[in-house]
Amino acid sequence: MAGIRSTLNIKNRMMFLSRYVSPAMLAASGILVITIIALFVPPYIGMADNGDYYRILYSNGGYFNTPDYLSHYFGYFIKEYGIFQYFNENKDMLFSSQSLFVKFSLWVNKLFDQKVFDIRVQGAIFTALYTVAMYLLVESITWKAPRKYGYPIAIIAIFIFGDTGYTAYFNSLFSESVVLIMTVFVFASGLLLYRKRYNDYVLMFIFLISGLLLTTSKQQNAPVGIIIAVMGVILVFVRKQNTYRYMMASSLILLMIAGVGTYVLIPQDFVNINKYHAMTRGILMQSDDPEAALKQFDIDKQYAVLNQTIYFEPYMTVDVDSEILKDNFYNKYGFVSILSYYVTHPSQAGKMLDIAAKNAFTIRPPAMGNYEKSAGKPFGTQTKFFSGYSLAKQALAPKTFGFITIWSVLIIGLYMPSFIEAAKRRQMRHMVRLPLIVMMIFMGLSGILVSIIGAGDADLSKHEFLFTAAFDMVTFVAVGDAIRHRLWQSEEDQGGD
Protein backbone atom coordinates (compact mmCIF):
# COMPACT_ATOMS: atom_id res chain seq x y z
CA MET A 1 0.00 0.00 0.00
CA ALA A 2 2.84 2.40 0.84
CA GLY A 3 4.33 1.82 -2.61
CA ILE A 4 1.01 2.52 -4.31
CA ARG A 5 0.57 5.75 -2.30
CA SER A 6 4.07 6.84 -3.25
CA THR A 7 3.39 6.19 -6.92
CA LEU A 8 0.11 8.11 -6.74
CA ASN A 9 1.84 11.04 -4.99
CA ILE A 10 4.47 11.18 -7.74
CA LYS A 11 1.78 11.09 -10.43
CA ASN A 12 -0.17 13.85 -8.67
CA ARG A 13 2.92 16.01 -8.43
CA MET A 14 3.73 15.43 -12.09
CA MET A 15 0.15 16.33 -13.05
CA PHE A 16 0.41 19.51 -10.98
CA LEU A 17 3.75 20.38 -12.57
CA SER A 18 2.42 19.67 -16.03
CA ARG A 19 -0.68 21.78 -15.44
CA TYR A 20 0.81 24.86 -13.78
CA VAL A 21 4.54 24.91 -14.67
CA SER A 22 5.46 25.02 -18.33
CA PRO A 23 8.87 23.79 -19.53
CA ALA A 24 9.90 27.40 -20.19
CA MET A 25 8.91 28.40 -16.67
CA LEU A 26 10.77 25.41 -15.23
CA ALA A 27 13.95 26.31 -17.14
CA ALA A 28 13.77 30.02 -16.26
CA SER A 29 13.07 29.28 -12.59
CA GLY A 30 15.86 26.74 -12.34
CA ILE A 31 18.40 29.11 -13.90
CA LEU A 32 17.19 31.93 -11.65
CA VAL A 33 17.59 29.91 -8.44
CA ILE A 34 21.05 28.62 -9.39
CA THR A 35 22.23 32.10 -10.37
CA ILE A 36 20.95 33.64 -7.13
CA ILE A 37 22.82 31.03 -5.09
CA ALA A 38 26.01 31.58 -7.12
CA LEU A 39 26.06 35.37 -7.22
CA PHE A 40 24.23 36.52 -4.12
CA VAL A 41 24.93 33.91 -1.43
CA PRO A 42 28.40 33.91 0.25
CA PRO A 43 31.02 33.21 -0.94
CA TYR A 44 30.01 35.56 -3.75
CA ILE A 45 31.06 34.66 -7.29
CA GLY A 46 32.12 37.24 -9.85
CA MET A 47 35.00 37.99 -12.21
CA ALA A 48 38.39 39.46 -11.38
CA ASP A 49 39.50 42.54 -13.32
CA ASN A 50 42.08 41.97 -16.08
CA GLY A 51 42.80 45.68 -16.43
CA ASP A 52 39.81 46.55 -18.63
CA TYR A 53 37.37 47.75 -15.97
CA TYR A 54 38.64 51.33 -15.80
CA ARG A 55 37.49 51.98 -19.37
CA ILE A 56 33.84 51.41 -18.58
CA LEU A 57 33.76 52.30 -14.87
CA TYR A 58 35.45 55.71 -14.71
CA SER A 59 33.64 57.22 -17.68
CA ASN A 60 30.27 56.24 -16.20
CA GLY A 61 30.71 57.66 -12.70
CA GLY A 62 32.54 54.99 -10.70
CA TYR A 63 36.10 54.54 -9.52
CA PHE A 64 38.39 52.05 -7.77
CA ASN A 65 38.19 52.60 -4.02
CA THR A 66 40.13 49.55 -2.86
CA PRO A 67 43.61 50.67 -1.69
CA ASP A 68 45.44 47.61 -3.06
CA TYR A 69 43.21 47.24 -6.14
CA LEU A 70 46.07 46.53 -8.55
CA SER A 71 47.17 43.52 -6.51
CA HIS A 72 43.75 41.96 -7.15
CA TYR A 73 44.15 41.97 -10.95
CA PHE A 74 43.32 38.54 -12.41
CA GLY A 75 43.19 36.92 -8.97
CA TYR A 76 40.30 38.24 -6.93
CA PHE A 77 36.78 39.48 -7.57
CA ILE A 78 35.95 42.90 -6.08
CA LYS A 79 32.30 43.71 -5.55
CA GLU A 80 32.43 47.32 -4.29
CA TYR A 81 33.54 50.50 -6.07
CA GLY A 82 33.38 54.19 -5.29
CA ILE A 83 30.88 56.60 -6.84
CA PHE A 84 32.10 60.05 -7.91
CA GLN A 85 30.43 62.68 -5.73
CA TYR A 86 31.39 65.70 -7.80
CA PHE A 87 32.39 66.50 -11.37
CA ASN A 88 33.66 63.50 -13.31
CA GLU A 89 36.46 64.60 -15.62
CA ASN A 90 36.76 61.19 -17.26
CA LYS A 91 35.42 61.15 -20.80
CA ASP A 92 33.96 58.13 -22.56
CA MET A 93 36.86 55.90 -23.57
CA LEU A 94 34.82 53.75 -25.89
CA PHE A 95 31.40 53.63 -27.52
CA SER A 96 29.44 50.75 -25.99
CA SER A 97 25.85 49.94 -25.09
CA GLN A 98 27.29 48.45 -21.91
CA SER A 99 27.44 52.00 -20.55
CA LEU A 100 23.63 52.08 -20.48
CA PHE A 101 23.55 49.13 -18.09
CA VAL A 102 26.36 50.48 -15.91
CA LYS A 103 24.68 53.89 -15.62
CA PHE A 104 21.30 52.31 -14.86
CA SER A 105 22.91 50.07 -12.22
CA LEU A 106 24.57 53.09 -10.61
CA TRP A 107 21.24 54.95 -10.61
CA VAL A 108 19.50 52.03 -8.88
CA ASN A 109 22.42 51.68 -6.46
CA LYS A 110 22.17 55.36 -5.49
CA LEU A 111 18.63 54.76 -4.26
CA PHE A 112 20.23 52.77 -1.43
CA ASP A 113 23.83 54.04 -1.24
CA GLN A 114 25.16 57.27 -2.73
CA LYS A 115 28.86 56.55 -2.18
CA VAL A 116 29.55 52.86 -2.77
CA PHE A 117 28.56 50.96 -5.90
CA ASP A 118 27.88 47.28 -5.23
CA ILE A 119 28.39 45.33 -8.47
CA ARG A 120 25.71 42.91 -7.30
CA VAL A 121 23.09 45.54 -8.14
CA GLN A 122 24.13 45.18 -11.77
CA GLY A 123 24.26 41.41 -11.27
CA ALA A 124 20.64 41.42 -10.12
CA ILE A 125 19.54 43.44 -13.18
CA PHE A 126 21.37 41.10 -15.54
CA THR A 127 19.98 38.06 -13.74
CA ALA A 128 16.42 39.34 -14.21
CA LEU A 129 16.99 40.02 -17.91
CA TYR A 130 18.67 36.65 -18.41
CA THR A 131 15.79 34.83 -16.75
CA VAL A 132 13.30 36.47 -19.14
CA ALA A 133 15.56 35.77 -22.14
CA MET A 134 15.91 32.10 -21.24
CA TYR A 135 12.15 31.79 -20.73
CA LEU A 136 11.59 33.07 -24.26
CA LEU A 137 14.28 30.81 -25.76
CA VAL A 138 12.90 27.65 -24.16
CA GLU A 139 9.33 28.74 -24.98
CA SER A 140 10.34 29.10 -28.63
CA ILE A 141 11.23 25.40 -28.69
CA THR A 142 8.71 23.82 -26.32
CA TRP A 143 5.52 25.74 -27.11
CA LYS A 144 2.74 23.27 -27.93
CA ALA A 145 5.19 20.38 -27.46
CA PRO A 146 4.09 17.43 -25.30
CA ARG A 147 5.38 17.79 -21.74
CA LYS A 148 7.30 14.51 -22.07
CA TYR A 149 9.51 16.36 -24.58
CA GLY A 150 9.33 19.82 -23.02
CA TYR A 151 10.65 19.00 -19.55
CA PRO A 152 13.82 17.21 -20.74
CA ILE A 153 14.54 20.24 -22.96
CA ALA A 154 14.09 22.50 -19.92
CA ILE A 155 16.53 20.39 -17.87
CA ILE A 156 19.10 20.63 -20.67
CA ALA A 157 18.64 24.41 -20.73
CA ILE A 158 19.32 24.64 -17.00
CA PHE A 159 22.44 22.47 -17.32
CA ILE A 160 23.89 24.57 -20.14
CA PHE A 161 22.77 28.12 -19.45
CA GLY A 162 22.67 28.02 -15.67
CA ASP A 163 26.41 27.27 -15.72
CA THR A 164 28.42 29.78 -13.70
CA GLY A 165 30.85 30.02 -16.61
CA TYR A 166 28.16 32.25 -18.10
CA THR A 167 26.50 33.83 -15.08
CA ALA A 168 29.71 34.83 -13.25
CA TYR A 169 30.05 37.59 -15.86
CA PHE A 170 26.97 39.32 -14.37
CA ASN A 171 29.07 40.32 -11.34
CA SER A 172 31.72 41.98 -13.50
CA LEU A 173 32.32 44.97 -15.75
CA PHE A 174 33.01 42.84 -18.82
CA SER A 175 30.70 43.38 -21.79
CA GLU A 176 30.18 39.63 -22.18
CA SER A 177 27.09 39.91 -19.95
CA VAL A 178 25.41 42.17 -22.50
CA VAL A 179 26.62 39.97 -25.37
CA LEU A 180 25.17 36.81 -23.80
CA ILE A 181 21.79 38.21 -22.82
CA MET A 182 21.17 40.13 -26.04
CA THR A 183 22.21 37.16 -28.20
CA VAL A 184 19.59 35.05 -26.42
CA PHE A 185 16.94 37.74 -26.97
CA VAL A 186 17.79 38.07 -30.68
CA PHE A 187 17.64 34.32 -31.28
CA ALA A 188 14.56 33.73 -29.11
CA SER A 189 12.54 36.58 -30.65
CA GLY A 190 13.36 35.35 -34.15
CA LEU A 191 12.31 31.80 -33.32
CA LEU A 192 9.11 33.02 -31.67
CA LEU A 193 8.31 34.96 -34.84
CA TYR A 194 8.87 31.74 -36.79
CA ARG A 195 6.43 29.88 -34.56
CA LYS A 196 3.95 32.78 -34.48
CA ARG A 197 4.04 32.82 -30.70
CA TYR A 198 3.13 36.18 -29.12
CA ASN A 199 2.54 39.40 -31.01
CA ASP A 200 4.71 39.85 -34.12
CA TYR A 201 5.19 43.57 -33.52
CA VAL A 202 6.35 43.04 -29.94
CA LEU A 203 8.79 40.38 -31.09
CA MET A 204 10.03 42.69 -33.85
CA PHE A 205 10.73 45.35 -31.20
CA ILE A 206 12.64 42.85 -29.04
CA PHE A 207 14.59 41.67 -32.09
CA LEU A 208 15.54 45.24 -33.01
CA ILE A 209 16.49 46.51 -29.55
CA SER A 210 18.45 43.41 -28.55
CA GLY A 211 20.19 43.42 -31.94
CA LEU A 212 21.22 47.06 -31.50
CA LEU A 213 22.46 46.48 -27.94
CA LEU A 214 24.38 43.39 -29.04
CA THR A 215 26.00 45.09 -32.03
CA THR A 216 27.07 48.14 -30.05
CA SER A 217 28.17 46.26 -26.92
CA LYS A 218 31.77 46.06 -28.15
CA GLN A 219 33.72 47.11 -31.23
CA GLN A 220 34.40 43.51 -32.16
CA ASN A 221 30.66 43.02 -32.73
CA ALA A 222 30.45 45.55 -35.58
CA PRO A 223 29.86 42.75 -38.16
CA VAL A 224 26.98 41.37 -36.07
CA GLY A 225 24.57 44.15 -37.04
CA ILE A 226 25.35 43.59 -40.70
CA ILE A 227 24.90 39.82 -40.39
CA ILE A 228 21.54 40.20 -38.59
CA ALA A 229 20.37 42.73 -41.19
CA VAL A 230 21.28 40.52 -44.14
CA MET A 231 20.05 37.20 -42.76
CA GLY A 232 16.96 38.84 -41.29
CA VAL A 233 15.64 40.01 -44.67
CA ILE A 234 13.33 36.99 -44.79
CA LEU A 235 11.55 38.31 -41.67
CA VAL A 236 10.20 41.16 -43.80
CA PHE A 237 8.02 38.71 -45.71
CA VAL A 238 6.43 36.69 -42.91
CA ARG A 239 3.43 39.03 -43.02
CA LYS A 240 1.72 40.63 -46.02
CA GLN A 241 0.74 43.90 -44.35
CA ASN A 242 2.71 46.88 -45.65
CA THR A 243 2.98 48.39 -42.15
CA TYR A 244 4.72 45.33 -40.81
CA ARG A 245 7.04 45.06 -43.80
CA TYR A 246 8.00 48.72 -43.61
CA MET A 247 8.75 48.50 -39.89
CA MET A 248 10.78 45.30 -40.20
CA ALA A 249 12.76 46.63 -43.17
CA SER A 250 13.45 49.84 -41.24
CA SER A 251 14.63 47.77 -38.25
CA LEU A 252 17.06 45.84 -40.41
CA ILE A 253 18.41 49.06 -41.91
CA LEU A 254 18.98 50.44 -38.40
CA LEU A 255 20.90 47.28 -37.49
CA MET A 256 23.04 47.67 -40.60
CA ILE A 257 23.78 51.30 -39.73
CA ALA A 258 24.61 50.29 -36.14
CA GLY A 259 27.14 47.76 -37.39
CA VAL A 260 28.86 50.30 -39.64
CA GLY A 261 28.72 52.98 -36.95
CA THR A 262 30.23 50.72 -34.30
CA TYR A 263 33.21 50.08 -36.58
CA VAL A 264 33.66 53.76 -37.45
CA LEU A 265 33.56 54.84 -33.79
CA ILE A 266 36.38 52.56 -32.63
CA PRO A 267 38.87 54.85 -30.78
CA GLN A 268 42.27 55.16 -32.43
CA ASP A 269 44.02 53.89 -29.28
CA PHE A 270 42.11 50.61 -29.55
CA VAL A 271 42.81 50.45 -33.27
CA ASN A 272 46.57 50.64 -32.65
CA ILE A 273 46.47 48.04 -29.88
CA ASN A 274 44.57 45.58 -32.05
CA LYS A 275 46.66 46.30 -35.14
CA TYR A 276 49.85 45.75 -33.16
CA HIS A 277 48.67 42.33 -31.98
CA ALA A 278 47.27 41.43 -35.41
CA MET A 279 50.79 41.70 -36.75
CA THR A 280 52.98 40.56 -33.83
CA ARG A 281 50.64 37.89 -32.47
CA GLY A 282 49.27 36.85 -35.85
CA ILE A 283 51.09 37.44 -39.14
CA LEU A 284 54.64 37.37 -37.75
CA MET A 285 54.03 34.70 -35.13
CA GLN A 286 52.86 32.09 -37.65
CA SER A 287 55.22 33.06 -40.48
CA ASP A 288 58.26 30.90 -41.28
CA ASP A 289 60.02 34.08 -42.45
CA PRO A 290 58.80 37.14 -40.49
CA GLU A 291 61.04 39.50 -42.44
CA ALA A 292 59.56 38.34 -45.75
CA ALA A 293 56.06 38.70 -44.31
CA LEU A 294 56.80 42.32 -43.37
CA LYS A 295 58.10 43.01 -46.87
CA GLN A 296 54.68 42.13 -48.30
CA PHE A 297 53.25 45.02 -46.29
CA ASP A 298 56.09 47.33 -47.29
CA ILE A 299 57.33 47.39 -43.68
CA ASP A 300 61.05 47.55 -42.83
CA LYS A 301 62.33 44.08 -41.92
CA GLN A 302 63.88 45.42 -38.70
CA TYR A 303 60.39 45.38 -37.16
CA ALA A 304 60.59 41.59 -37.12
CA VAL A 305 62.13 42.08 -33.68
CA LEU A 306 58.55 42.75 -32.46
CA ASN A 307 57.50 39.20 -33.32
CA GLN A 308 55.31 37.66 -30.57
CA THR A 309 55.55 40.76 -28.36
CA ILE A 310 52.53 42.32 -26.63
CA TYR A 311 51.52 45.98 -26.74
CA PHE A 312 51.46 46.27 -22.95
CA GLU A 313 54.93 44.86 -22.21
CA PRO A 314 56.79 47.21 -19.81
CA TYR A 315 60.14 47.05 -21.61
CA MET A 316 60.10 47.28 -25.40
CA THR A 317 62.69 47.91 -28.11
CA VAL A 318 60.47 50.72 -29.44
CA ASP A 319 57.78 52.99 -28.00
CA VAL A 320 54.49 51.47 -29.20
CA ASP A 321 52.86 54.92 -29.13
CA SER A 322 55.64 56.70 -31.02
CA GLU A 323 55.24 58.59 -34.28
CA ILE A 324 57.95 56.37 -35.77
CA LEU A 325 55.83 53.27 -35.25
CA LYS A 326 52.72 55.08 -36.46
CA ASP A 327 54.34 56.17 -39.72
CA ASN A 328 56.41 53.09 -40.46
CA PHE A 329 54.32 50.31 -38.96
CA TYR A 330 50.65 50.99 -38.11
CA ASN A 331 49.94 53.00 -41.25
CA LYS A 332 51.23 50.24 -43.51
CA TYR A 333 48.40 47.77 -42.97
CA GLY A 334 44.80 47.35 -41.91
CA PHE A 335 41.97 44.82 -41.62
CA VAL A 336 41.62 44.39 -45.38
CA SER A 337 45.33 43.94 -46.09
CA ILE A 338 45.68 41.40 -43.26
CA LEU A 339 42.64 39.50 -44.55
CA SER A 340 44.17 39.52 -48.05
CA TYR A 341 47.42 38.17 -46.64
CA TYR A 342 45.68 35.24 -44.95
CA VAL A 343 43.70 34.50 -48.13
CA THR A 344 46.95 34.25 -50.11
CA HIS A 345 48.64 32.21 -47.33
CA PRO A 346 46.05 29.52 -46.54
CA SER A 347 48.42 27.32 -44.51
CA GLN A 348 49.21 30.21 -42.19
CA ALA A 349 45.53 31.08 -41.98
CA GLY A 350 44.78 27.46 -41.09
CA LYS A 351 47.27 27.59 -38.22
CA MET A 352 45.64 30.74 -36.84
CA LEU A 353 42.17 29.23 -37.17
CA ASP A 354 43.27 26.15 -35.23
CA ILE A 355 44.79 28.37 -32.53
CA ALA A 356 41.47 30.19 -32.37
CA ALA A 357 39.57 26.91 -32.19
CA LYS A 358 41.54 25.88 -29.09
CA ASN A 359 39.99 28.79 -27.24
CA ALA A 360 36.59 28.76 -28.96
CA PHE A 361 34.98 26.38 -26.48
CA THR A 362 36.14 28.10 -23.29
CA ILE A 363 33.26 29.94 -21.65
CA ARG A 364 35.17 31.35 -18.69
CA PRO A 365 38.68 32.74 -19.39
CA PRO A 366 41.27 30.76 -17.40
CA ALA A 367 43.14 33.90 -16.35
CA MET A 368 40.49 35.44 -14.06
CA GLY A 369 39.56 34.25 -10.59
CA ASN A 370 35.97 34.19 -9.28
CA TYR A 371 36.24 34.74 -5.52
CA GLU A 372 36.80 37.72 -3.24
CA LYS A 373 40.07 37.75 -1.35
CA SER A 374 38.10 37.55 1.91
CA ALA A 375 36.79 34.12 0.85
CA GLY A 376 40.24 32.72 1.67
CA LYS A 377 40.74 31.02 -1.69
CA PRO A 378 44.14 30.94 -3.42
CA PHE A 379 44.88 33.69 -5.94
CA GLY A 380 43.05 33.10 -9.23
CA THR A 381 40.78 30.29 -7.96
CA GLN A 382 37.78 29.64 -10.17
CA THR A 383 34.48 28.29 -8.90
CA LYS A 384 33.37 24.74 -9.58
CA PHE A 385 29.83 25.45 -8.42
CA PHE A 386 27.40 24.40 -11.17
CA SER A 387 30.19 24.39 -13.74
CA GLY A 388 29.68 20.87 -15.07
CA TYR A 389 28.81 21.96 -18.58
CA SER A 390 31.58 24.53 -19.04
CA LEU A 391 34.23 22.17 -17.66
CA ALA A 392 33.02 19.26 -19.81
CA LYS A 393 32.81 21.44 -22.90
CA GLN A 394 36.34 22.74 -22.45
CA ALA A 395 37.73 19.25 -21.83
CA LEU A 396 35.83 17.25 -24.44
CA ALA A 397 35.14 19.54 -27.41
CA PRO A 398 37.44 18.83 -30.40
CA LYS A 399 39.54 21.97 -30.58
CA THR A 400 40.12 22.29 -34.31
CA PHE A 401 38.57 24.57 -36.86
CA GLY A 402 37.78 21.47 -38.89
CA PHE A 403 35.32 20.42 -36.18
CA ILE A 404 33.70 23.86 -36.24
CA THR A 405 33.30 23.55 -40.01
CA ILE A 406 31.79 20.06 -39.74
CA TRP A 407 29.43 21.23 -36.99
CA SER A 408 28.28 24.19 -39.11
CA VAL A 409 27.66 22.05 -42.19
CA LEU A 410 25.87 19.38 -40.15
CA ILE A 411 23.53 21.87 -38.47
CA ILE A 412 22.65 23.56 -41.76
CA GLY A 413 22.14 20.16 -43.41
CA LEU A 414 19.76 19.05 -40.67
CA TYR A 415 17.53 22.11 -41.12
CA MET A 416 17.72 22.30 -44.91
CA PRO A 417 14.89 19.79 -45.69
CA SER A 418 12.29 21.76 -43.72
CA PHE A 419 13.44 24.98 -45.39
CA ILE A 420 13.14 23.46 -48.88
CA GLU A 421 9.70 22.03 -48.09
CA ALA A 422 8.48 25.41 -46.81
CA ALA A 423 9.92 27.12 -49.90
CA LYS A 424 8.03 24.73 -52.16
CA ARG A 425 4.82 25.56 -50.33
CA ARG A 426 5.69 29.28 -50.36
CA GLN A 427 5.21 29.48 -46.61
CA MET A 428 7.53 32.39 -45.78
CA ARG A 429 7.12 32.16 -42.03
CA HIS A 430 8.05 28.49 -42.05
CA MET A 431 11.22 29.33 -43.99
CA VAL A 432 12.53 31.60 -41.21
CA ARG A 433 14.15 28.95 -38.99
CA LEU A 434 17.14 28.06 -41.21
CA PRO A 435 18.16 31.69 -41.89
CA LEU A 436 18.04 32.32 -38.13
CA ILE A 437 20.27 29.29 -37.51
CA VAL A 438 22.70 30.44 -40.23
CA MET A 439 22.63 33.95 -38.77
CA MET A 440 23.74 32.60 -35.39
CA ILE A 441 26.49 30.49 -36.95
CA PHE A 442 27.80 33.47 -38.93
CA MET A 443 27.68 35.66 -35.83
CA GLY A 444 29.75 33.08 -33.96
CA LEU A 445 32.22 32.68 -36.80
CA SER A 446 32.58 36.46 -37.05
CA GLY A 447 33.76 36.41 -33.44
CA ILE A 448 36.57 34.04 -34.44
CA LEU A 449 37.55 35.69 -37.71
CA VAL A 450 37.47 39.25 -36.38
CA SER A 451 39.56 38.16 -33.40
CA ILE A 452 42.42 36.59 -35.32
CA ILE A 453 42.42 39.11 -38.18
CA GLY A 454 41.99 42.09 -35.90
CA ALA A 455 44.15 41.11 -32.92
CA GLY A 456 45.99 37.84 -33.55
CA ASP A 457 45.91 35.42 -30.63
CA ALA A 458 45.73 38.14 -27.97
CA ASP A 459 43.15 37.32 -25.27
CA LEU A 460 41.35 34.87 -27.58
CA SER A 461 39.30 33.12 -24.90
CA LYS A 462 37.48 36.41 -24.18
CA HIS A 463 37.34 37.65 -27.74
CA GLU A 464 35.65 34.44 -28.88
CA PHE A 465 32.89 34.53 -26.29
CA LEU A 466 30.27 35.26 -28.95
CA PHE A 467 31.17 32.05 -30.76
CA THR A 468 30.94 29.84 -27.69
CA ALA A 469 27.57 31.40 -26.79
CA ALA A 470 26.23 31.02 -30.33
CA PHE A 471 27.53 27.44 -30.50
CA ASP A 472 25.66 26.52 -27.32
CA MET A 473 22.41 28.19 -28.37
CA VAL A 474 22.35 26.64 -31.83
CA THR A 475 23.29 23.21 -30.49
CA PHE A 476 20.66 23.50 -27.76
CA VAL A 477 17.94 24.40 -30.28
CA ALA A 478 19.01 21.53 -32.55
CA VAL A 479 18.87 19.06 -29.66
CA GLY A 480 15.48 20.45 -28.62
CA ASP A 481 14.11 20.11 -32.15
CA ALA A 482 15.50 16.58 -32.35
CA ILE A 483 13.72 15.65 -29.13
CA ARG A 484 10.49 17.10 -30.55
CA HIS A 485 11.05 15.37 -33.92
CA ARG A 486 11.09 18.75 -35.68
CA LEU A 487 14.56 18.77 -37.25
CA TRP A 488 13.50 17.74 -40.74
CA GLN A 489 10.07 19.34 -40.75
CA SER A 490 8.76 22.80 -40.01
CA GLU A 491 5.97 23.63 -37.62
CA GLU A 492 2.48 22.62 -38.63
CA ASP A 493 0.43 25.25 -40.41
CA GLN A 494 -0.06 28.14 -38.03
CA GLY A 495 -2.66 30.00 -40.00
CA GLY A 496 -2.55 32.90 -42.39
CA ASP A 497 -0.57 36.10 -41.95
Side-chain angles (χ1 to χ4, degrees):
M1 292 295 292
I4 295 175
R5 289 197 195 97
S6 178
T7 302
L8 289 174
N9 286 334
I10 293 173
K11 287 184 177 180
N12 289 334
R13 289 171 184 171
M14 290 300 296
M15 288 178 63
F16 176 84
L17 182 68
S18 176
R19 188 170 184 177
Y20 296 105
V21 182
S22 69
M25 182 62 71
L26 177 63
S29 300
I31 291 172
L32 175 62
V33 170
I34 292 166
T35 304
I36 289 174
I37 294 172
L39 305 189
F40 308 108
V41 176
Y44 305 112
I45 292 171
M47 297 283 284
D49 185 1
N50 69 345
D52 286 347
Y53 281 16
Y54 79 95
R55 297 171 181 168
I56 197 71
L57 181 64
Y58 274 69
S59 61
N60 286 299
Y63 65 92
F64 302 144
N65 62 349
T66 302
D68 58 343
Y69 188 86
L70 295 181
S71 67
H72 289 67
Y73 273 1
F74 295 100
Y76 295 112
F77 156 58
I78 292 177
K79 70 176 185 294
E80 293 182 342
Y81 300 88
I83 300 175
F84 281 115
Q85 300 299 298
Y86 305 102
F87 176 72
N88 180 10
E89 63 183 7
N90 299 281
K91 298 180 180 179
D92 289 340
M93 299 182 187
L94 72 165
F95 171 75
S96 172
S97 61
Q98 184 190 1
S99 293
L100 298 174
F101 295 95
V102 175
K103 287 178 179 177
F104 180 68
S105 299
L106 279 164
W107 179 81
V108 174
N109 190 101
K110 287 179 182 178
L111 298 177
F112 306 96
D113 192 326
Q114 293 280 334
K115 296 183 178 180
V116 178
F117 172 47
D118 192 322
I119 196 71
R120 291 173 297 173
V121 173
Q122 177 192 266
I125 293 169
F126 280 144
T127 298
L129 287 171
Y130 190 54
T131 302
V132 175
M134 289 311 308
Y135 176 90
L136 294 178
L137 181 61
V138 176
E139 180 74 358
S140 72
I141 305 171
T142 60
W143 183 53
K144 288 187 175 180
R147 293 298 197 247
K148 64 179 180 179
Y149 299 143
Y151 290 130
I153 293 172
I155 297 301
I156 294 171
I158 294 171
F159 177 65
I160 296 175
F161 300 107
D163 194 289
T164 52
Y166 280 128
T167 57
Y169 277 108
F170 299 168
N171 274 348
S172 81
L173 290 171
F174 293 124
S175 60
E176 277 69 19
S177 297
V178 181
V179 172
L180 172 64
I181 295 169
M182 295 308 142
T183 303
V184 178
F185 271 122
V186 168
F187 198 23
S189 58
L191 289 173
L192 289 167
L193 266 167
Y194 156 71
R195 300 202 66 195
K196 205 177 181 183
R197 173 69 165 140
Y198 305 125
N199 182 276
D200 285 347
Y201 291 92
V202 172
L203 293 173
M204 183 201 309
F205 179 76
I206 295 173
F207 187 82
L208 170 62
I209 297 302
S210 56
L212 290 173
L213 292 172
L214 171 60
T215 302
T216 57
S217 61
K218 56 195 305 183
Q219 282 70 35
Q220 181 189 339
N221 287 353
V224 169
I226 299 171
I227 292 170
I228 296 175
V230 173
M231 299 307 302
V233 168
I234 194 170
L235 294 173
V236 175
F237 303 101
V238 300
R239 294 179 69 100
K240 296 178 181 178
Q241 291 88 343
N242 289 333
T243 301
Y244 169 85
R245 291 187 172 184
Y246 173 79
M247 292 178 66
M248 180 58 79
S250 299
S251 298
L252 297 178
I253 291 171
L254 282 174
L255 287 165
M256 178 77 75
I257 294 172
V260 175
T262 299
Y263 178 79
V264 171
L265 293 173
I266 298 176
Q268 190 59 44
D269 290 345
F270 290 92
V271 171
N272 289 343
I273 293 170
N274 291 335
K275 287 179 71 172
Y276 185 90
H277 291 146
M279 183 61 69
T280 65
R281 302 296 307 178
I283 299 291
L284 299 181
M285 185 177 71
Q286 290 302 320
S287 176
D288 295 329
D289 189 348
E291 294 183 1
L294 287 171
K295 186 177 180 180
Q296 295 194 37
F297 293 91
D298 194 27
I299 298 175
D300 194 304
K301 64 181 181 181
Q302 67 178 325
Y303 288 102
V305 71
L306 299 177
N307 186 16
Q308 298 188 41
T309 59
I310 297 175
Y311 186 91
F312 300 103
E313 288 183 13
Y315 305 106
M316 298 285 287
T317 56
V318 64
D319 182 2
V320 293
D321 295 317
S322 66
E323 288 296 320
I324 293 177
L325 214 61
K326 178 181 177 181
D327 296 335
N328 301 304
F329 193 70
Y330 296 131
N331 288 347
K332 297 288 186 177
Y333 62 97
F335 189 91
V336 175
S337 58
I338 291 177
L339 176 60
S340 299
Y341 178 88
Y342 280 126
V343 170
T344 56
H345 296 77
S347 62
Q348 195 169 332
K351 292 178 183 178
M352 285 302 297
L353 288 171
D354 279 337
I355 289 174
K358 290 179 181 179
N359 295 274
F361 299 96
T362 301
I363 299 175
R364 178 171 35 217
M368 276 78 90
N370 293 131
Y371 291 100
E372 293 181 280
K373 189 173 183 178
S374 60
K377 306 285 185 179
F379 186 90
T381 299
Q382 294 191 329
T383 182
K384 297 294 190 296
F385 174 73
F386 211 84
S387 298
Y389 176 74
S390 58
L391 293 173
K393 180 181 179 182
Q394 185 172 354
L396 301 177
K399 298 177 179 61
T400 66
F401 194 75
F403 170 74
I404 294 174
T405 302
I406 293 171
W407 169 79
S408 301
V409 172
L410 176 62
I411 291 292
I412 293 172
L414 289 172
Y415 284 100
M416 186 61 74
S418 64
F419 177 83
I420 294 173
E421 183 63 27
K424 289 179 179 179
R425 296 180 179 180
R426 297 183 180 181
Q427 296 173 323
M428 297 303 295
R429 189 182 292 268
H430 294 177
M431 292 170 60
V432 165
R433 184 170 58 169
L434 178 60
L436 287 174
I437 295 289
V438 175
M439 177 192 77
M440 291 293 292
I441 292 174
F442 282 175
M443 283 167 51
L445 291 176
S446 75
I448 293 178
L449 297 177
V450 170
S451 295
I452 62 175
I453 295 172
D457 75 339
D459 204 12
L460 270 178
S461 57
K462 243 178 115 285
H463 288 168
E464 294 181 315
F465 180 82
L466 180 58
F467 172 80
T468 198
F471 175 89
D472 285 346
M473 291 177 209
V474 170
T475 302
F476 167 68
V477 169
V479 170
D481 284 337
I483 291 173
R484 294 176 55 241
H485 308 296
R486 288 291 179 184
L487 270 176
W488 290 279
Q489 53 183 318
S490 62
E491 301 301 320
E492 295 177 2
D493 190 13
Q494 298 159 343
D497 296 318

